[in-house]
Structure formats: C-alpha cells, structure tokens
C-alpha cells in the first residue's frame, strides 16, 4: 500500500529526495514516518511528521540535514536528504502511524511499504 521511491547512488555531500505514495486508501489522518535499515543493522527511525504537517521530529543522526514533508492532497510523503554521508547508506522505508501524532517507535506504525535503496559513496 505504500511505495517508496527516489533512491539511488550519490557521492558524499550530495542530495536525494525520497517519495512515498499510497497505492490504496488514504493516510491523510495518520502521522507518517521514514525508517531505514543498513546491512547487518537493525531498522532505525529517521523522521516523522504529524497528520497535518504541523510537527516534525528527527533522529539526531539526520537532524539539520533531512527534511520530512507531506502533501495530503496528493497522498504523498517526502524525505529531502542533503549533505549525505556514507553512514546514510540503507534501504529507506515509509510507514503510516496508527495515530495522528508522530512518534519514533516502530510499534506505532501499522503499515510499512516497500523500501528504496540509498547508497552514498565517499
């Protein structure tokens, strides 16, 4: 139901903009989040946005470099990633929260889509 896209390979310092589309239904009343999983590591929280875009929250590792936003009219969520680092290399997933307010806990997310690969080279 959720499909992430926009990943690719970039050099350190580069930028990518990820998109998340809902293929069925609407998530305009749900907070949305981005997570990532690097090879051999646990999936980790990246960013979240409230249902109306009024509040956002980021993992410390991406704060100041990544920006999450959404367009409820288009049923889309985005993740703008700037100043990318090799440590950002991972598969990125978008997910819908069961609540309207965002959170960093994976347990709060009820839908998770297919991911998109982001590779950052040094």
């Amino acid at each position: 139901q959720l499909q992430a896209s926009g990943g690719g390979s970039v050099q350190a310092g580069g930028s990518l903009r990820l998109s998340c589309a809902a293929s069925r239904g609407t998530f305009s009343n749900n907070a949305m989040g981005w997570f990532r999983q690097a090879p051999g590591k646990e999936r980790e929280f990246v960013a979240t946005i409230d249902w109306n875009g009024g509040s956002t929250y980021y993992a410390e590792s991406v704060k100041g470099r990544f920006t999450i936003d959404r367009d409820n009219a288009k049923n889309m969520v985005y993740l703008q990633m700037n100043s990318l680092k090799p440590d950002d290399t991972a598969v990125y997933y978008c997910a819908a929260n069961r609540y309207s307010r965002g959170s960093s806990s994976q347990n709060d997310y009820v839908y998770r889509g297919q991911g998109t690969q982001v590779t950052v080279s040094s």
Side-chain angles (χ1 to χ4, degrees):
Q1 291 182 327
L2 294 173
Q3 178 65 56
S5 62
S9 297
V10 297
Q11 290 190 326
S15 298
L16 285 172
R17 183 171 175 81
L18 305 184
S19 299
C20 173
S23 59
R24 289 182 296 175
T26 177
F27 297 100
S28 59
N29 294 323
N30 301 77
M32 299 294 291
W34 286 95
F35 294 82
R36 68 186 181 186
Q37 187 166 19
K41 295 186 177 182
E42 296 289 322
R43 185 171 297 173
E44 64 176 0
F45 166 78
V46 176
T48 186
I49 186 167
D50 283 359
W51 71 279
N52 63 353
S55 181
T56 58
Y57 178 72
Y58 300 90
E60 283 298 321
S61 59
V62 307
K63 194 175 293 184
R65 300 188 297 121
F66 290 12
T67 302
I68 185 171
D69 64 299
R70 66 189 298 164
D71 185 339
N72 284 345
K74 296 180 179 180
N75 221 18
M76 296 287 293
V77 180
Y78 307 96
L79 185 69
Q80 177 67 42
M81 306 187 296
N82 298 328
S83 302
L84 283 162
K85 305 175 181 180
D87 284 348
D88 296 319
T89 295
V91 177
Y92 284 71
Y93 302 86
C94 60
N97 199 301
R98 70 178 73 242
Y99 305 116
S100 60
R101 297 192 66 179
S103 65
S104 61
S105 172
Q106 295 189 47
N107 291 332
D108 289 340
Y109 290 84
V110 293
Y111 299 108
R112 187 179 301 116
Q114 292 185 336
T116 185
Q117 176 71 47
V118 171
T119 303
V120 184
S121 58
S122 57

